[in-house]
Amino acid sequence: MSKTVLTAAQIGCGKFAHHQDLPNLSTHEQINLKWVCDINLANAEKTAKEFNVPNFTDNFMDIVNDPEVALIKIATSHEVHLPIVEAAAAAGKHIFCEKPMAMTDDEAFKIIRAVRKGGVKLCVDLNRRMSPAMQALRKKYLEHTANPKHNPWQYVETVREPLAEEKFPHMSIRIQDESSSYGLVHLNPLTGGGVIIGESVHWLDLACWFFAPALPCEITAWGSSRLSHGINLKFTNGASMTLDFSCAGTFDYPKEQFEVTGEAAFFRSLHFVENCYYGMPDAGKETFALQSDPYPEMGDGHDAFIAKYMKNVSGSSNAKEIEQSCPIIVDKGHKAMLNAFIDAIINDKPSPCDELAGYRSTLLAQKAIESIRLKQTLPLQLEDICPCL
């Protein structure tokens, strides 16, 4: 990566921006963060002072009209992504857009048209695919399935050829969350659209990335289109993913768990801090550092993370207040996605999560909602998954 510095702006200064975008942008050696923007001018001013940003505004067009700005990060409520993207792309700005890229297929098509007409790069912050734990899990999975090796004591059928479905890999994703994570802005149909649009796009995208180049071809969903739900996604190579999302859980236990089976092996990732592999000679455990860790002396891995969390919130009557003042943050890939996008801009490489990936995750989320409402399995047409644009 060259040492070119990009002048950047942040649009949207909410809780997520304060935890991820602003710390990452303001400390990046290849970013000059010139602007922050928020519809609440007082919040924009306060944020500018906190992160030593020279300019603040409540009008995103001030940023769009600044010829020095090369990169804009959008972290607003979902319904205003489209007008900001259209204005930024027309002005030649590269765009790092928070998920979901769009709330509807129509919005997504307009975004694709805008960025391609403007000749700019767009990256959607579907960051799970860039987390060190997911990168390691997929690498191990691909290595094993390309050349399967099994432990000598393992039972593997040799009398007959495996049946077709015995060769199909499966990913299981368990999300247990606290419903208080989601304010009304996330659940409002006009601004958030519910958790499938606002959150499950992460795991739909992750499955598409994990099993690529296979394409999704069928979707079944159940539960609530607003909160707790399940989704089963099938792929053209026989692979499948099942997502189980519950909003009735607790942060006393880590939120995300991923399991993959394939070629008589088991690959497991626990909340981005620990991977375990079973059924192969080189199986073992990998641990991954936290993005923010006030207790590094307590070690690494899943059990250590739980212990750190409990120590952090003990004695408090409100864990959210502790999260603001002394956060424990696992590495979900935010920094890696930003780094990869900066590299893509400076060295003219493909975006690490481009507008087509953003569209596809929105499409799948919309199809999941439709499946819930119809109580039906829905086919995914090739012309929808790979539109002619």
Side-chain angles (χ1 to χ4, degrees):
M1 186 188 291
S2 75
K3 291 300 180 182
T4 302
V5 175
L6 301 173
T7 296
Q10 173 77 27
I11 300 179
C13 299
K15 177 182 175 182
F16 174 81
H18 277 257
H19 273 307
Q20 287 290 348
D21 293 338
L22 291 159
N24 295 342
L25 289 167
S26 63
T27 59
H28 200 289
E29 64 178 5
Q30 291 180 275
I31 291 292
N32 168 36
L33 186 57
K34 183 178 179 181
W35 287 91
V36 292
C37 173
D38 195 85
I39 56 173
N40 183 327
L41 187 60
N43 187 41
E45 181 178 14
K46 180 181 177 181
T47 300
K49 290 179 180 178
E50 181 179 350
F51 291 94
N52 297 312
V53 181
N55 300 285
F56 64 91
T57 181
D58 60 358
N59 184 352
F60 72 84
M61 289 305 298
D62 292 339
I63 291 169
V64 170
N65 292 328
D66 184 341
E68 292 185 359
V69 172
L71 170 63
I72 292 175
K73 175 64 201 286
I74 302 173
T76 63
S77 54
H78 311 332
E79 86 283 4
V80 293
H81 288 180
L82 174 60
I84 298 173
V85 169
E86 287 182 325
K93 317 296 187 187
H94 300 292
I95 302 153
F96 191 14
C97 185
E98 193 47 48
K99 55 76 192 168
M101 184 183 82
M103 291 178 66
T104 67
D105 303 349
D106 182 60
E107 286 183 358
F109 287 138
K110 290 177 180 177
I111 286 174
I112 293 172
R113 180 175 64 187
V115 298
R116 294 185 178 182
K117 183 178 180 180
V120 300
K121 295 183 186 295
L122 180 140
C123 178
V124 185
D125 198 12
L126 294 161
N127 52 281
R128 286 352 185 234
R129 60 162 69 189
M130 294 297 289
S131 71
M134 289 295 102
Q135 290 278 326
L137 195 80
R138 186 172 190 260
K139 179 181 178 182
K140 194 76 168 179
Y141 165 80
L142 292 175
E143 288 175 349
H144 176 73
T145 54
N147 184 25
K149 296 178 181 179
H150 302 103
N151 292 317
W153 62 83
Q154 185 173 353
Y155 176 80
V156 178
E157 179 63 72
T158 58
V159 176
R160 59 170 175 80
E161 285 294 315
L163 301 174
E165 57 266 38
E166 292 177 286
K167 304 288 286 184
F168 294 161
H170 179 71
M171 171 182 281
S172 177
I173 302 175
R174 190 272 292 141
I175 309 297
Q176 68 87 24
D177 209 348
E178 292 185 355
S179 61
S180 58
S181 299
Y182 306 105
L184 293 180
V185 69
H186 293 92
L187 306 179
N188 187 317
L190 297 177
T191 58
V195 169
I196 293 180
I197 286 289
E199 289 294 314
S200 291
V201 288
H202 268 312
W203 304 298
L204 291 165
D205 172 75
L206 179 71
C208 289
W209 165 78
F210 195 93
F211 290 124
L215 295 171
C217 60
E218 183 181 286
I219 192 165
T220 310
W222 55 93
S224 166
S225 63
R226 184 169 59 193
L227 280 170
S228 297
H229 60 275
I231 302 173
N232 180 262
L233 187 63
K234 293 185 178 179
F235 291 82
T236 50
N237 67 345
S240 60
M241 180 277 288
T242 300
L243 167 67
D244 180 12
F245 182 105
S246 171
C247 69
T250 172
F251 285 159
D252 280 0
Y253 190 82
K255 171 183 171 183
E256 302 185 37
Q257 178 174 294
F258 307 86
E259 296 178 345
V260 179
T261 53
E263 289 291 351
F266 182 57
F267 311 81
R268 189 182 199 193
S269 186
L270 301 173
H271 201 56
F272 310 100
V273 296
E274 179 178 312
N275 286 2
C276 302
Y277 311 110
Y278 304 89
M280 62 201 83
D282 55 346
K285 182 172 77 172
E286 293 180 279
T287 59
F288 304 89
L290 305 186
Q291 183 177 319
S292 175
D293 187 357
Y295 309 108
E297 71 280 0
M298 294 179 67
D300 298 317
H302 190 250
D303 291 344
F305 175 80
I306 296 174
K308 291 176 185 182
Y309 176 84
M310 297 306 295
K311 180 176 180 179
N312 208 40
V313 300
S314 63
S316 169
S317 61
N318 189 332
K320 285 192 173 183
E321 292 178 357
I322 297 295
E323 288 175 10
Q324 299 291 329
S325 60
C326 185
I328 293 180
I329 304 175
V330 300
D331 191 345
K332 297 180 182 179
H334 294 286
K335 284 188 175 181
M337 187 73 86
L338 174 63
N339 291 341
F341 190 43
I342 291 172
D343 184 31
I345 294 170
I346 291 173
N347 297 306
D348 195 22
K349 297 179 180 178
S351 167
C353 188
D354 64 13
E355 61 272 16
L356 183 58
Y359 155 75
R360 192 170 285 164
S361 62
T362 291
L363 170 71
L364 294 175
Q366 289 287 352
K367 290 292 186 181
I369 293 171
E370 183 181 356
S371 175
I372 288 173
R373 291 175 176 168
L374 295 175
K375 296 185 178 181
Q376 291 180 2
T377 294
L378 300 178
L380 300 170
Q381 303 297 331
L382 183 61
E383 58 267 31
D384 292 331
I385 295 298
C386 300
C388 180
L389 297 169

